[in-house]
């Protein structure tokens, strides 16, 4: 018989999931890669909050579950495999036949590491200038050069020049020293994802221009490479736009160009309204890989380089491994592009999958390497044997019945709730549906009083063109295990529901997202699941803006909010942000400065007179995406108005918190502040947070 639960107020439950535990669990894996020349070797990145968030490159054999072949390739603390291209980075390394090229965070230089050498000392290559940044690497099978994206900040940051460049690799007998980058393509504002054909000198990549983001409209290019006498490309020949051409009249978002073993080019496009797989025919014609378009998503928005949700299967003609999603339901399958049929593969509860790579075990069996997770499983590196239909964790701790968190994990429930579409405040309002994941309070040791409902924390995700996930997140369980319900909202503008849903936010940022977050909270309160008087909201970056906008423009809904590196003044963002998002506000709000009045109308900073509830602000002082003065301006305004407010700044942090001690402080500070406002006493010992205008 299970022991009787202790009755205690919601929010005051004692939980084994501490803030330091959340910080240690913030270590994550990303960007798995198979060495195509040695397909039994897998590489990946591991973030280490205890080392300031450093990204470390590791590798081992794909069927090594004991770590006997594990290698830490960038163990020295001076190496941080991370790029600043687009500020969000990604695609920071590539590997072929044991040769690794990577970008190092400290100087943004490109380094070559030969893993066959025992010394394993990286050698700097390419042009050596700290104003040049590199990402999205591809190592040519000849091992004579790499192709990658270069971002040139020598003249300007906001107008940094993007180029597709070839970088010669050192050959035996070469003198050491930097080489000259060879510019192959520089006719677009942004470039991504170069890929080589295995059968000829073809190169594919995609590009796009302001004011679009890559989920709005991109162009897929294909070209031959003209080689010099040393086997290094000196230019592109016969460059052609094969899909999404600017003059085609068809706006489509194209991702993930991939050549199969026969040289057929596959890619993902949302020309049907959803990201579906396509391929290029022998005469350049575009074919849908499915029998007909389907209203499910085979990809997500590419905020960072290196996304991979589709890969051709080596040795299996016409076969592609894919993952696809409709809302919160994700599946894994093998797509036969000849028959247009998808064979769904069973998965162990995964609801998010990515970083697909195809390798082989040492016995020659094809194996999919991927990063995946689900409601009871954090995102981890797994292998999936396609023939024997079996999955196994490749790194990290195995979950077990003795898991100390068993009994404290809240399982998400996907909810659909009624909402409205703009224009608001008129008789023309249309009814609609939006979505969220609801997490009820869960703790095997505690229950709430019979006459009390739990507080609710609404999470507004960042982006805003992104999505909430149902994968296990300790930062959510931190709240639910203490007796606080959570709703992670996929407001209009989120991905996973097709282009029409994604573009609900255009040009209604600060309206549709606000409406949906409020609607989710009120729906759960009216359903009797949470306390109507204790609704709270929290968000980071664009989600921080939504949080502040909810507090300013719908003050009757929430009692308190938390903004993590959030936007309070849209006008400042339109003028001060980086190149990647410089024109994003034109879609979200309108052209600037023509729509300046609209920017001001939707900015919480210009509506503090409407703000009536407390807020806490947490901000990194080196944030280049959301300037720190955004938080300062809002805090100062709240101080003047006499509203309780807290403000914590973190030295050395950028857009998001990477250092373990700062993750701990940020989480505990939010709990402390919310407890003060919502009337519960956390069981944790937390260093007090200075609260301005506090009367206690």
């Amino acid at each position: 018989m299970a022991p009787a639960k202790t009755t205690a107020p919601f929010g005051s439950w004692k939980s084994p999931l501490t803030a330091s535990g959340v910080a240690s669990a913030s270590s994550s894996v990303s960007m798995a890669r198979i060495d195509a020349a040695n397909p039994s070797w897998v590489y990946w990145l591991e973030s280490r909050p205890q080392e300031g968030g450093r990204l470390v490159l590791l590798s081992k054999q794909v069927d090594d579950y004991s770590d006997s072949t594990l290698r830490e390739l960038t163990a020295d603390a001076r190496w941080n495999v991370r790029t600043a291209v687009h500020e969000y980075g990604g695609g920071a390394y590539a590997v072929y036949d044991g040769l690794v090229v990577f970008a190092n965070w400290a100087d943004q230089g490109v380094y070559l590491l030969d893993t066959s050498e025992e010394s394993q000392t990286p050698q700097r290559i390419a042009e050596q200038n700290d104003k040049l940044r590199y990402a999205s690497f591809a190592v040519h099978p000849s091992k004579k050069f790499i192709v990658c994206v270069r971002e040139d900040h020598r003249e300007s940051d906001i107008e940094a020049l993007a180029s597709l460049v070839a970088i010669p690799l050192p050959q035996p007998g070469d003198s050491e020293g930097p080489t000259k980058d060879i510019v192959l393509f520089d006719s677009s504002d942004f470039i991504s994802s170069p890929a080589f054909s295995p059968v000829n000198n073809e190169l594919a990549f995609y590009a796009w221009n302001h004011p679009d983001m890559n989920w709005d409209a991109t162009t897929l290019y294909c070209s031959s490479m003209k080689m010099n006498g040393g086997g290094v490309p000196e230019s592109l020949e016969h460059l052609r736009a094969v899909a999404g051409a600017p003059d085609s009249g068809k706006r489509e978002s194209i991702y993930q160009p991939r050549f199969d073993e026969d040289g057929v080019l596959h890619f993902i496009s949302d020309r049907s309204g959803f990201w579906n797989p396509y391929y290029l025919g022998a005469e350049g014609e575009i074919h849908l890989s499915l029998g007909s378009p389907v209203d499910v998503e085979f990809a997500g928005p590419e905020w960072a380089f290196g996304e991979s949700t589709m890969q051709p299967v080596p040795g299996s003609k016409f076969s592609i491994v894919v993952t696809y999603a409709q809302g919160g339901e994700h599946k894994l399958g093998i797509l036969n592009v000849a028959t247009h049929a998808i064979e769904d593969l069973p998965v162990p509860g995964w609801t998010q999958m990515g970083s697909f790579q195809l390798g082989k075990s040492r016995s020659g069996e094809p194996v999919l390497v991927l990063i995946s997770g689900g409601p009871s499983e954090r995102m981890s590196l797994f292998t999936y044997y396609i023939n024997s239909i079996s999955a196994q964790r490749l790194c990290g701790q195995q979950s077990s019945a003795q898991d100390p968190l068993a009994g404290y994990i809240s399982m998400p429930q996907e909810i659909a709730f009624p909402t409205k579409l703009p224009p608001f405040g008129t008789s023309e309002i249309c009814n609609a549906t939006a979505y969220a994941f609801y997490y009820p309070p869960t703790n095997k040791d505690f229950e709430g009083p019979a006459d009390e409902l739990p507080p609710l924390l609404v999470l507004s995700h960042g982006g805003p063109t992104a999505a909430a996930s149902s994968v296990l997140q300790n930062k959510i369980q931190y709240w639910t295990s203490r007796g606080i319900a959570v709703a992670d909202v996929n407001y209009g503008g989120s991905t996973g529901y097709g282009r029409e849903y994604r573009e609900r936010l255009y040009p209604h940022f600060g309206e549709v997202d606000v409406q949906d977050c409020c609607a989710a909270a009120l729906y759960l309160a009216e359903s009797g699941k949470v306390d109507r008087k204790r609704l709270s909201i929290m968000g980071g970056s664009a989600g921080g803006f939504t949080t502040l906008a909810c507090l300013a423009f719908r003050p009757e809904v929430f009692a308190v909010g938390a903004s993590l590196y959030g936007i309070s003044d849209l006008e400042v963002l339109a003028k001060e942000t980086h190149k990647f998002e410089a024109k994003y506000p034109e879609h979200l709000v309108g052209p600037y400065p023509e729509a300046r009045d609209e920017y001001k109308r939707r900015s919480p900073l210009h509506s503090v007179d409407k703000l009536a509830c407390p807020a806490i602000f947490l901000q990194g002082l080196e944030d280049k995406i959301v300037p720190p003065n955004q938080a300062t301006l809002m805090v100062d305004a709240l101080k003047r108005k006499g509203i309780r407010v807290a403000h914590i700044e973190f030295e050395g942090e950028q857009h998001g918190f990477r250092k373990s001690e700062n993750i701990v402080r940020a989480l505990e500070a939010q709990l402390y502040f919310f407890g003060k406002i919502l009337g519960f006493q956390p069981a944790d010992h937390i260093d007090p947070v200075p609260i301005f205008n506090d009367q206690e």
Side-chain angles (χ1 to χ4, degrees):
M1 178 181 295
K5 290 188 174 185
T6 300
T7 300
F10 292 104
S12 69
W13 300 353
K14 186 176 182 179
S15 169
L17 187 54
T18 63
S20 59
V22 173
S24 63
S26 295
S27 174
S28 62
V29 294
S30 62
M31 201 178 170
R33 289 293 180 265
I34 288 288
D35 183 344
N38 299 289
S40 65
W41 281 94
V42 59
Y43 296 70
W44 71 95
L45 296 177
E46 178 182 282
S47 68
R48 295 184 176 173
Q50 71 275 17
E51 297 182 37
R54 187 169 74 97
L55 289 172
V56 179
L57 180 62
L58 301 102
S59 74
K60 67 175 179 177
Q61 292 188 310
V62 296
D63 51 2
D64 172 17
Y65 302 101
S66 65
D67 288 349
S68 62
T69 62
L70 180 65
R71 301 180 296 177
E72 188 169 319
L73 300 174
T74 55
D76 192 299
R78 62 179 165 156
W79 305 120
N80 184 356
V81 185
R82 183 181 168 206
T83 175
V85 177
H86 294 176
E87 303 299 336
Y88 293 100
Y93 82 97
V95 58
Y96 186 83
D97 200 17
L99 288 181
V100 174
V101 291
F102 68 91
N104 189 43
W105 178 254
D107 56 16
Q108 290 300 300
V110 182
Y111 289 82
L112 176 67
L113 174 64
D114 188 344
T115 61
S116 66
E117 296 178 356
E118 289 190 12
S119 63
Q120 294 187 354
T121 301
Q123 170 189 352
R124 188 164 182 177
I125 59 174
E127 294 187 26
Q128 298 188 12
N129 188 311
D130 291 357
K131 292 289 187 178
L132 296 176
R133 305 174 182 180
Y134 300 84
S136 201
F137 300 100
V139 183
H140 191 264
S142 69
K143 297 191 289 186
K144 293 183 177 181
F145 65 94
I146 65 172
V147 170
C148 65
V149 174
R150 187 183 76 179
E151 195 174 69
D152 188 343
H153 291 252
R154 286 177 291 192
E155 298 296 329
S156 169
D157 287 327
I158 195 64
E159 295 295 338
L161 299 175
S163 303
L164 190 69
V165 299
I167 300 173
L169 295 179
Q171 301 298 308
D174 287 355
S175 58
E176 293 189 7
T179 57
K180 189 77 173 176
D181 300 344
I182 302 165
V183 176
L184 301 177
F185 178 87
D186 59 0
S187 300
S188 294
D189 292 325
F190 304 96
I191 306 164
S192 183
S193 307
F196 298 117
S197 169
V199 300
N200 52 34
N201 274 340
E202 287 283 290
L203 173 72
F205 60 93
Y206 75 82
W208 72 101
N209 290 300
H210 280 321
D212 289 321
M213 302 298 287
N214 60 42
W215 48 82
D216 296 319
T218 61
T219 299
L220 178 62
Y221 290 98
C222 206
S223 176
S224 299
M225 295 179 288
K226 181 181 180 182
M227 302 297 191
N228 63 20
V232 174
E234 57 184 24
S235 63
L236 298 183
E237 293 184 314
H238 312 299
L239 178 69
R240 57 204 183 277
V242 297
D247 59 357
S248 68
K250 180 70 175 179
R251 287 172 58 80
E252 57 184 310
S253 171
I254 298 168
Y255 289 150
Q256 300 184 40
R258 305 276 189 270
F259 287 99
D260 63 22
E261 289 182 324
D262 297 317
V264 176
L265 179 59
H266 301 262
F267 59 94
I268 293 175
S269 168
D270 74 341
R271 56 173 46 198
S272 71
F274 287 78
W275 277 306
N276 280 194
Y278 294 81
Y279 67 93
L280 202 63
E283 302 300 323
E285 71 279 12
I286 296 171
H287 298 277
L288 178 65
S289 302
L290 305 162
S292 59
V294 291
D295 291 351
V296 296
E297 303 271 49
F298 286 76
E302 295 201 354
W303 283 93
F305 293 98
E307 301 294 334
S308 179
T309 57
M310 170 189 76
Q311 285 289 350
V313 180
S316 183
K317 195 176 181 67
F318 305 127
S319 294
I320 300 175
V321 62
V322 295
T323 181
Y324 57 100
Q326 185 171 31
E329 183 181 6
H330 290 243
K331 293 184 178 181
L332 178 68
I334 299 291
L335 167 63
N336 186 309
V337 299
T339 65
H340 309 301
I342 295 181
E343 176 191 358
D344 286 335
L345 302 175
V347 295
W350 297 334
T351 56
Q352 185 172 327
M353 291 163 271
S355 209
F356 283 12
Q357 295 286 292
L358 268 298
K360 291 183 179 180
S361 68
R362 282 170 282 189
S363 64
E365 184 176 356
V367 56
L368 169 67
V369 176
L370 72 165
I371 296 175
S372 57
S376 58
E377 187 91 63
R378 292 180 58 232
M379 295 295 285
S380 300
L381 187 65
F382 283 87
T383 55
Y384 192 103
Y385 290 86
I386 297 172
N387 292 345
S388 56
I389 313 296
S390 63
Q392 192 166 346
R393 187 197 296 262
L394 192 56
C395 71
Q397 292 183 338
Q398 298 282 355
S399 57
S400 70
Q402 304 304 315
D403 188 336
L405 297 183
Y408 301 96
I409 300 301
S410 178
M411 300 302 289
Q413 306 163 13
E414 187 174 21
I415 60 171
F417 56 90
T419 188
K420 304 288 185 182
L421 295 178
F424 300 117
T426 73
S427 59
E428 300 177 31
I429 292 179
C430 299
N431 294 324
T433 300
Y435 307 92
F437 293 108
Y438 172 67
Y439 296 80
T442 303
N443 188 312
K444 69 177 183 180
D445 304 318
F446 290 91
E447 61 184 4
D451 60 349
E452 183 181 339
L453 289 173
L456 173 70
L457 174 60
V458 168
L459 300 180
S460 54
H461 64 70
T465 307
S469 167
S470 61
V471 170
L472 177 64
Q473 300 173 71
N474 284 359
K475 64 181 181 180
I476 289 179
Q477 305 299 329
Y478 178 84
W479 297 94
T480 57
S481 62
R482 285 165 171 75
I484 299 168
V486 171
D488 205 355
V489 182
N490 273 322
Y491 50 77
S494 300
T495 56
Y497 303 88
R499 181 179 279 258
E500 182 178 347
Y501 192 87
R502 192 167 76 238
E503 292 187 346
R504 280 188 188 180
L505 210 56
Y506 288 2
H508 299 290
F509 185 38
E511 297 178 326
V512 166
D513 48 327
V514 168
Q515 162 62 27
D516 290 355
C517 285
C518 292
L522 295 173
Y523 172 80
L524 290 167
E526 292 164 2
S527 300
K529 295 182 182 295
V530 300
D531 188 343
R532 171 65 184 86
K533 296 181 179 180
R534 294 194 291 173
L535 305 179
S536 62
I537 184 168
M538 175 175 66
S541 189
F545 166 77
T546 300
T547 291
L548 295 172
C550 284
L551 300 183
F553 304 118
R554 296 291 299 276
E556 77 282 4
V557 177
F558 295 102
V560 63
S563 170
L564 286 71
Y565 39 93
I567 304 159
S568 63
D569 185 354
L570 286 174
E571 189 176 10
V572 173
L573 183 64
K575 293 189 292 186
E576 295 186 11
T577 193
H578 57 114
K579 180 188 176 183
F580 181 66
E581 295 181 89
K583 302 298 182 181
Y584 193 21
E586 290 192 16
H587 290 290
L588 295 171
V589 183
Y592 186 87
E594 293 87 342
R596 184 181 182 189
D597 290 345
E598 193 64 23
Y599 279 79
K600 297 183 73 171
R601 186 184 71 80
R602 295 191 205 171
S603 294
L605 181 64
H606 296 293
S607 296
V608 288
D609 57 310
K610 300 177 182 177
L611 194 59
C613 58
I616 181 171
F617 295 78
L618 302 117
Q619 178 71 43
L621 289 178
E622 294 183 9
D623 194 335
K624 299 292 178 59
I625 295 172
V626 177
N629 69 337
Q630 295 247 326
T632 303
L633 290 170
M634 195 73 176
V635 169
D636 289 345
L638 292 174
K639 285 182 186 177
R640 291 193 298 270
K641 197 176 180 190
I643 294 174
R644 282 181 290 180
V645 61
H647 185 204
I648 300 177
E649 296 178 315
F650 297 103
E651 293 276 358
E653 291 285 15
Q654 293 104 36
H655 196 62
F657 307 140
R658 294 174 177 269
K659 297 179 181 178
S660 180
E661 64 272 21
N662 294 339
I663 295 171
V664 170
R665 180 56 174 161
L667 196 53
E668 290 185 339
Q670 292 169 73
L671 180 64
Y672 178 92
F673 188 80
F674 279 25
K676 287 285 188 181
I677 306 304
L678 299 179
F680 62 82
Q681 179 64 47
D684 312 65
H685 172 73
I686 300 174
D687 290 337
V689 175
I691 301 175
F692 299 99
N693 300 321
D694 193 8
Q695 303 304 314
E696 293 186 11

